[in-house]
Amino acid sequence: MFAVFVILPQFCLILLGYLLTRRPSFAKKDFWIVTEKLVFYVLFPPLIFLSVAKANLQIGQCSYFLLISISAMSVAVITAWLANFLIKESPWTKWSIFHCGFRFNTYIGFAICSTLFGDKGIAYLSLLIACWVPISNVIATVGLVHASRLSGSENNGKRKNFLVAVLSNPLILATLLGLVCNSFSIELPKLLVDVLKPLGQSSLALGLICIGAGLKINDLKRYLQIVGSLQRLMVVPTIALAFAIIFQLLPLESCVLLLFAALPTAQSCYVMTASMGGDSAAVADLTSAQVIFSLLTLPFWINVMLEFFPN
C-alpha cells in the first residue's frame, strides 16, 4: 500500500489535468502548449540545477552508475525493436512507435524520485537523463526517418540540427551547470537559491497537470497498446533490475535506475513523430495507454526496489 500512496498524488494531478481539458475555459490546445513550454524552459531547469549543484556526488561512482544504466537502457532499445515483430501493424506504424519503447516521462520520474529519495535521488536521475536524452534522441530520429520513408513522407526540413537541439536542451544545460558548481564547490548566493527553489517546486505539479491535459483516451484495447505497454513498463524495468543486481550498484543508484526504467514513455514522442511524418495517432494512443497502465505497474516496481535495495 505504501507504493500506491507514493504515486497516488502524482496521478491525482494527472487526472486533474485531464478533467480540466473537459472544461471549455481550459480546452484550448494553445493554452497547454504555452504551459508546457513554461514548465520545460522556465520552471523545471531550476529544480535540476539546484539538486545537482547541492548534491553530495562522487564523480567516480557516478561514472560507473551511468555506464551500467546506459547499458541497461541500450538493451531496452533492442527489446523495443523485437516488440515490432509481435505487433500486427504496418511497418510505418511499427517504426513510428519504436521510440516509445525506450524514452521516458520526465515529470512523473522526478515527482516520484523527489518523494522517495529527495535531492540526491534527483541529482542521480538528472545525470542519467542528461546522458540518455541525446542517445535516445539519435536512435528515435533514425527510427522515425525510416518510418517517414516507408510512408513516402520525407519532408523533414523543419527538423532542427540535432547537435543544436541537444546543446539547447534546458534539462541538459541545467545538469551541466549544476555539475560545474558541484565539482568546484561554488557557493550559490542565497538570493539565487530563494528565487530558483520555488520555481523548481512548482514545476512538478504543473508538469503532471500538463501530462493529464495531453492524454488521448481513444482505443486503449488495441493489441499495439498492450504489447507496447508491456515492453516499456515490464520488460525494460526487468532488464534494469537484472543489471543493478549483476553489476552491484549501490542501493540508491539501483533504485534510481529501476524507477527510470519503469517510467511510461514521454509525451513529447507525439510531437516528434508528427513533425517527422510518422504515425502520430498510434503514438498518441500508446503514450496515453502507458501513462494509464503505469498506475498499476509503478507501485509494483516501487515495492520491488524497496524490497531489493533498502536505503
Side-chain angles (χ1 to χ4, degrees), residues 56-67 124 127 253:
N56 181 20
L57 297 173
Q58 297 178 348
I59 302 301
Q61 188 65 44
C62 288
S63 300
Y64 183 70
F65 159 72
L66 292 173
L67 174 63
Y124 272 100
L127 291 174
E253 297 169 343

Side-chain angles (χ1 to χ4, degrees), residues 41-112:
Y41 288 101
V42 179
L43 303 180
F44 205 37
L47 174 70
I48 296 176
F49 169 70
L50 289 178
S51 299
V52 175
K54 298 170 68 176
N56 181 20
L57 297 173
Q58 297 178 348
I59 302 301
Q61 188 65 44
C62 288
S63 300
Y64 183 70
F65 159 72
L66 292 173
L67 174 63
I68 301 305
S69 299
I70 297 302
S71 299
M73 292 306 296
S74 298
V75 176
V77 173
I78 297 174
T79 67
W81 174 71
L82 292 174
N84 275 350
F85 294 101
L86 301 176
I87 297 172
K88 301 174 182 178
E89 299 285 346
S90 69
W92 174 55
T93 297
K94 290 181 179 182
W95 281 105
S96 295
I97 66 168
F98 168 63
H99 61 135
C100 296
F102 51 85
R103 297 182 69 192
F104 57 94
N105 195 302
T106 308
Y107 301 133
I108 295 177
F110 274 102
I112 296 175

Side-chain angles (χ1 to χ4, degrees), residues 122-280:
I122 290 179
Y124 272 100
L125 184 59
S126 299
L127 291 174
L128 179 51
I129 287 174
C131 291
W132 185 242
V133 163
I135 296 172
S136 61
N137 279 351
V138 168
I139 301 171
T141 299
V142 171
L144 287 172
V145 166
H146 185 56
S148 66
R149 287 173 178 169
L150 290 171
S151 68
S153 172
E154 299 188 58
N155 184 21
N156 299 324
K158 295 182 180 179
R159 201 168 66 242
K160 288 199 301 183
N161 177 277
F162 174 75
L163 184 60
V164 173
V166 169
L167 293 179
S168 63
N169 186 305
L171 276 64
I172 295 177
L173 290 175
T175 302
L176 293 177
L177 188 57
L179 273 176
V180 171
C181 293
N182 190 298
S183 301
F184 292 97
S185 301
I186 297 175
E187 187 71 25
L188 300 176
K190 185 177 185 302
L191 177 60
L192 178 63
V193 174
D194 289 344
V195 171
L196 295 181
K197 192 171 183 179
L199 289 175
Q201 290 172 338
S202 65
S203 68
L204 294 179
L206 197 52
L208 292 169
I209 291 173
C210 287
I211 292 173
L215 287 180
K216 295 176 175 61
I217 303 176
N218 297 318
D219 183 10
L220 298 180
K221 296 182 179 181
R222 289 172 55 186
Y223 187 66
L224 179 151
Q225 276 83 7
I226 295 174
V227 173
S229 296
L230 284 174
Q231 180 272 332
R232 184 64 187 88
L233 302 176
M234 296 303 294
V235 175
V236 175
T238 299
I239 294 169
L241 176 63
F243 270 68
I245 294 174
I246 293 171
F247 296 101
Q248 299 181 337
L249 292 179
L250 296 176
L252 178 58
E253 297 169 343
S254 300
C255 290
V256 170
L257 170 57
L258 186 51
L259 173 62
F260 180 77
L263 295 173
T265 197
Q267 296 289 98
S268 59
C269 286
Y270 169 81
V271 177
M272 187 176 184
T273 304
S275 66
M276 295 184 64
D279 189 347
S280 56

